[in-house]
Amino acid sequence: MSQNLYPLQFEPILKERIWGGEKLKTILNKPIVSKITGESWELSTVQGDISVVANGILKGKSLMDLIDETPDAILGTKVYERFGKQFPLLFKYLDAREDLSIQVHPNDKLAKERHNSFGKTEMWYVMQADADARIIVGFKEDSSKEEYLKHLHDNTLVSILDDVKAKAGDVFFLETGTVHAIGAGLVVAEIQQTSDITYRLYDFDRVDAQGNKRELHVDLALDAINYNKVDTQKKYETKVNTSNTVVDCPYFTTNFLPLENKLEVAKNGETFTVYMCIEGDFEIEYDGFKQAYKKGDTVLVPAAINAFNLSGKASILEIYIS
């Protein structure tokens, strides 16, 4: 099948959330029908939420089926050697009409022991921000389990957490253990390890349509939290037609690529590449294949495709595994 591969798009997996809104439609043109759509999962192999191809002759096939048939060709030799037939990343767009819950994600060791899952290291690229929108990331100063619990029980947890104003183009990198929350008024692109493990610490005493509060995971979170102050915001260059490194960690590398006109891309077959279009539009040309992408689109270039062209005027996130 590898000779039939081409850049792949997938049907968005849309998620209603208590904090969601309608910007995934108005800003990113996602086919939402709910007024509380919080997430569009663009590329996923989370159990129960497996992405399905939306374009070309492979339309209707699941990402897991493609990986199962030709893992080297889809994932890349290096990724397959490291992860087997697992797709190690999850790609999303999020619309926070309200604040998300304050939460934390476990590391690989804890997640494996408790949930047989990867941990959840992640990054956010802010695509749109309302005035005064902010993100909660870590503690204002080094803290402790005891101080954290006191403020949690006193309903004053927010007072010891760092609060950072966010604007379009900002990037936040969150290692596992970082207490965090996306604030109201933000649309973000999220890149993370394949994991849906979240420990919710505080949910602003919200209730759902039935009047129920969402479950908290206070005890599970205690050993997962990094109680030290952390630096999460990333600075990066914006050189045109260049893959400017934004995040380079053991789980993924993300580059910011401002595309102007045309760019020839050469790969080595070791890893897949994902492009998320965060502004403008562009095309990929490959061996007779040509397709256009717009803001909010996500495309997976299989590892077997090692020479192709990008053209157009766009801001793109380029993601792969080093």
Side-chain angles (χ1 to χ4, degrees), residues 137-179:
V137 276
F139 293 89
K140 287 179 180 176
E141 304 294 340
D142 289 354
S143 186
S144 65
K145 186 181 295 188
E146 294 71 26
E147 182 184 35
Y148 156 76
L149 283 172
K150 179 183 183 303
H151 283 278
L152 184 66
H153 293 146
D154 291 346
N155 237 20
T156 55
L157 178 60
V158 175
S159 70
I160 62 170
L161 297 179
D162 204 7
D163 189 300
V164 181
K165 188 170 180 179
K167 63 183 185 305
D170 283 349
V171 171
F172 297 87
F173 175 61
L174 292 94
E175 296 184 272
T176 54
T178 304
V179 175

Side-chain angles (χ1 to χ4, degrees), residues 283-296:
E283 292 182 339
I284 295 180
E285 296 179 64
Y286 161 74
D287 193 26
F289 171 95
K290 185 175 182 179
Q291 186 155 332
Y293 306 94
K294 63 186 183 305
K295 182 177 181 177

Side-chain angles (χ1 to χ4, degrees), residues 181-198:
I182 296 174
L186 292 171
V187 175
V188 306
E190 179 174 284
I191 299 141
Q192 59 160 94
Q193 291 177 267
T194 292
S195 171
D196 199 28
I197 307 300
T198 294

Side-chain angles (χ1 to χ4, degrees), residues 21-28 32 95 128 130 185-187:
E22 298 180 89
K23 287 182 181 176
L24 294 180
K25 179 178 182 179
T26 58
I27 294 179
L28 301 185
I32 70 172
D95 167 24
Q128 185 269 333
D130 292 351
L186 292 171
V187 175

